[in-house]
Amino acid sequence: MTWSDYQGEIYRRGREDGTLPLWACNMLELEQRAIDTLDSAARGYIAASAGNGRTARANRDAFEDWAITPRMLRGVSAPDTSTVIHGRSLPAPLALAPVGVQSLAHPDAEQATARAAQSTGIPYSHSLAATVSFEEIALAAPASTRWAQLYWIRDPETVSSFLARAASAGFDTLILTVDTPVLGWRPTDLDRAFLPFAEGIGIANYTSDAGYMSRARATITTEGADIAPRYWERVFPHASLDWAEAATLRSMWDGTLLIKGIQHPDDAQRGLDVGFDGIIVSNHGGRQIDSAIGSLRALPAIRTAVGPDVPILFDSGLRTGVDLFTAIALGANAGMLGRAFLYGLALGGEEGVEHVIRSVMSEFELTMMLAGAHTVADITPELLSRVDPGPHGGRERRE
Ligand SMILES: Cc1cc2nc3c(=O)[nH]c(=O)nc-3n(C[C@H](O)[C@H](O)[C@H](O)COP(=O)(O)O)c2cc1C
């Protein structure tokens, strides 16, 4: 089985009994169709970004800076899409990014996503802001490769408990997200005064934590049934978190430790200095700062700063197999899908997520064959050309 068998499967089903794919094979078209099906609060929370949306647009526009210059007759009949991240072999240079509150997209939520990750062999990252707990994910997808994401809240006992629970539920990698010392200014959510967590949506990891709940009861004495979200408002987030405190995480976690939300080469280096094993280059999909650098534009300098051997994952704006190819050529070891898989979830639950993963990976594998790359390591900047941005420069031309 190769990833691009999906292409043959789609053509064969059409030929044999006229069955067409349930969802679009163009991921940008799929995105638009999914957005159209969401109710307005979910659409606002998922699709919209910080401020005027400039960072989110810059994330997509950054891919337009580059084009593939394919090489011919290299005899790539069986491309090897596998990659190694901190000693662990993965079947594809792809993982699912931690995305909270997935019940806004589909009632099967994170469990469906984890099952799709399991069936395709792609790592699933469990957001701390999920609508089900670490343990429920382990039950739903026991054979999945599971990564846990942490927001470092102002309740150290709960942080320690999250780490212990994640480790015993089989999560082998911890992602510390550092780009959210506060929530960004998100006008679409503000216009509706919609913050899911404050309404008790997306705090399942907290409400399933006995220590958190007993501290919530001890602290919030006036709010009846709402104690869990009210206590959440007290402890989230942790704006004073600094490098010294982040460094203490190394002694609290035995597995692989990744730092997510890095955009500057010095921060990448600092992360390694304080004990992280790898970097996730990300700007949270443009949900935090308006008018920030497009994430792909930040990637090459970070690779140069940390050298060839440090694992770098990339997200923010990644939608297609060609995007993944481009990010790898610019220095990533793997890409992470965020909204891209969430739109598949919105349209078709577990099968929708599978469709997105298989479509992205099919296109990626076909692109390896078409561009002349036998292995992921063969995907280098020599296979890219910079596109002349024209007289008005990069993204400015579209604004
Ligand atoms: C609805 C939504 C919820 C998210 N929740 C989290 C989260 O809980 N933790 C986290 O580290 N990142 C979170 N992210 C950011 C993603 O991990 C990822 O960085 C982002 O989606 C990448 O941008 P893209 O979706 O435009 O590709 C969230 C993103 C979205 C769209």
Side-chain angles (χ1 to χ4, degrees):
M1 248 316 249
T2 69
W3 291 107
S4 54
D5 287 348
Y6 195 42
Q7 182 196 44
E9 202 180 300
I10 290 172
Y11 285 133
R12 192 175 52 255
R13 277 202 252 126
R15 189 180 66 246
E16 285 173 358
D17 57 14
T19 308
L20 299 180
L22 286 172
W23 307 287
C25 293
N26 174 328
M27 293 301 107
L28 298 178
E29 195 180 318
L30 180 144
E31 168 165 356
Q32 203 43 59
R33 291 194 188 172
I35 289 172
D36 291 345
T37 67
L38 295 171
D39 68 46
S40 65
R43 188 184 316 133
Y45 190 75
I46 291 170
S49 300
N52 285 320
R54 279 188 65 180
T55 308
R57 284 197 297 281
N59 285 341
R60 288 296 305 145
D61 284 352
F63 285 96
E64 307 281 333
D65 292 351
W66 299 98
I68 296 170
T69 316
R71 301 301 305 272
M72 299 301 142
L73 297 178
R74 288 182 167 180
V76 186
S77 59
D80 179 0
T81 63
S82 68
T83 194
V84 176
I85 302 285
H86 200 244
R88 284 161 212 267
S89 182
L90 302 177
L94 188 68
L96 301 186
V99 168
V101 212
Q102 294 186 27
S103 63
L104 292 180
H106 193 280
D108 297 346
E110 290 87 359
Q111 283 149 315
T113 302
R115 280 195 293 265
Q118 173 177 265
S119 66
T120 52
I122 301 294
Y124 162 80
S125 307
H126 189 56
S127 161
L128 189 62
T131 55
V132 297
S133 65
F134 300 109
E135 293 80 8
E136 286 168 296
I137 289 297
L139 278 176
S144 58
T145 299
R146 296 191 283 289
W147 298 354
Q149 178 261 327
L150 178 71
Y151 285 122
W152 198 314
I153 58 168
R154 281 173 288 134
D155 175 348
E157 286 94 346
T158 300
V159 169
S160 302
S161 172
F162 285 153
L163 300 188
R165 287 172 56 199
S168 62
F171 290 77
D172 63 25
T173 295
L174 184 71
I175 298 169
L176 177 67
T177 299
V178 293
D179 58 17
T180 312
V182 289
L183 281 184
W185 181 253
R186 299 178 183 174
T188 319
D189 296 335
L190 289 162
D191 287 346
R192 293 184 183 82
F194 180 58
L195 183 61
F197 320 106
E199 298 181 16
I201 309 168
I203 55 170
N205 286 311
Y206 300 80
T207 52
S208 55
D209 198 286
Y212 173 88
M213 288 307 291
S214 90
R215 279 182 291 284
R217 274 189 289 274
T219 312
I220 309 290
T221 49
T222 55
E223 304 275 345
D226 273 351
I227 54 162
R230 296 293 78 78
Y231 186 53
W232 178 86
E233 286 170 336
R234 299 263 185 114
V235 298
F236 182 93
H238 180 6
S240 55
L241 182 66
D242 59 12
W243 286 109
E245 194 174 358
T248 62
L249 194 57
R250 185 62 285 178
S251 62
M252 295 160 67
W253 182 259
D254 292 334
T256 304
L257 199 51
L258 304 175
I259 185 166
K260 174 171 183 277
I262 297 297
Q263 297 277 278
H264 194 289
D266 294 351
D267 284 348
Q269 190 52 57
R270 192 85 188 261
L272 301 176
D273 294 344
V274 301
F276 288 86
D277 301 307
I279 309 295
I280 303 179
V281 174
S282 167
N283 60 27
H284 218 107
R287 299 162 69 77
Q288 287 299 87
I289 297 184
D290 195 19
S291 195
I293 181 173
S295 194
L296 191 75
R297 294 198 174 115
L299 174 61
I302 291 174
R303 170 54 77 199
T304 304
V306 302
D309 300 327
V310 171
I312 295 183
L313 289 94
F314 167 84
D315 79 27
S316 295
L318 202 157
R319 297 287 182 275
T320 73
V322 165
D323 293 345
L324 179 59
F325 187 96
T326 305
I328 289 171
L330 292 174
N333 295 91
M336 298 181 100
L337 296 175
R339 289 183 181 91
F341 84 74
L342 200 59
Y343 292 133
L345 180 70
L347 288 171
E350 177 181 344
E351 282 176 64
V353 178
E354 262 176 33
H355 169 73
V356 168
I357 294 170
R358 295 183 76 190
S359 298
V360 168
M361 279 311 302
S362 293
E363 189 190 34
F364 175 78
E365 189 177 84
L366 293 168
T367 306
M368 287 180 76
M369 299 176 84
L370 293 166
H374 289 270
T375 66
V376 172
D378 289 342
I379 305 173
T380 61
E382 286 72 52
L383 292 176
L384 296 186
S385 304
R386 220 187 148 92
V387 175
D388 178 357
H392 302 296
R395 65 185 179 183
E396 292 81 6
R397 70 187 181 277
R398 276 183 214 90
E399 288 179 354

